[in-house]
Amino acid sequence: MSTVDEKPVPQPHHPARESYRFSVPSGSAAPKVAREMVARLLVLTGHALASETARLLVSELVTNTHLHTRTRTIHLDVLLGPARVNVSVWDASPELRPAFRSGRDGAESGRGLCLVAALAAGWGVVWPTGSDGWKRVWFALDEGRAGAGTPGCTQAAGRPAEGAG
């Protein structure tokens, strides 16, 4: 009788992903509260490299939700992978499409989605299916890598991906 010493076959490693959900009332404090919660979460979970960019982009998306939708409570989902952070901001106004504004020189608003397009590795919109009525605007950050680098801010250059996230 012979024995065979078999080496274990290496299994693909699927790093753990962690998911978090936050809710904030839609009000003037919502952008600050949301960006601080997400930035602190990223630092505490070892994603400090993405925290400052996430802070800026969360602030932009939550501000848009507060100013342009009828949403009373803004929900945020944060999905953490080993080198990627995905953040989604939910609103109850699916009829409103995120839109680039001209952001004229000297204007104090209109550049939020341009920043998202320029700094995120990806971003998009997930439209509601069925009767839930919630739209999700998301962005992804790859740690240690700059954003997609959208040159300037044109609607074509920063067109969001449909779905995914």
Side-chain angles (χ1 to χ4, degrees):
M1 178 190 289
S2 66
T3 61
V4 177
D5 289 329
E6 290 187 31
K7 294 183 180 178
V9 176
Q11 298 297 313
H13 178 63
H14 297 289
R17 295 178 71 122
E18 297 176 345
S19 178
Y20 297 84
R21 173 164 276 188
F22 301 103
S23 297
V24 295
S26 182
S28 60
K32 180 178 182 170
V33 171
R35 72 178 170 245
E36 296 304 321
M37 286 192 308
V38 171
R40 188 71 183 136
L41 170 68
L42 296 181
V43 169
L44 290 171
T45 57
H47 298 274
L49 289 175
S51 67
E52 289 306 311
T53 303
R55 181 189 309 264
L56 174 62
L57 301 186
V58 164
S59 186
E60 293 299 334
L61 293 183
V62 172
T63 297
N64 285 350
T65 300
H66 166 63
L67 292 177
H68 304 295
T69 74
R70 65 179 186 273
T71 303
R72 290 186 177 162
T73 302
I74 301 169
H75 301 287
L76 295 94
D77 290 333
V78 182
L79 180 63
L80 304 174
R84 177 167 267 211
V85 172
N86 287 61
V87 178
S88 297
V89 177
W90 296 79
D91 72 64
S93 294
E95 71 283 359
L96 298 176
R97 298 184 71 82
F100 288 94
R101 305 236 168 133
S102 64
R104 298 178 315 271
D105 291 335
E108 292 186 20
S109 63
R111 295 182 183 92
L113 289 178
C114 294
L115 287 171
V116 174
L119 298 176
W123 76 286
V125 181
V126 178
W127 303 101
T129 57
S131 60
D132 70 358
W134 288 82
K135 172 181 77 223
R136 177 169 59 103
V137 181
W138 62 270
F139 66 85
L141 298 174
D142 291 335
E143 291 190 71
R145 178 178 168 267
T150 303
C153 184
T154 64
Q155 190 168 359
R159 185 168 286 121
E162 296 286 333

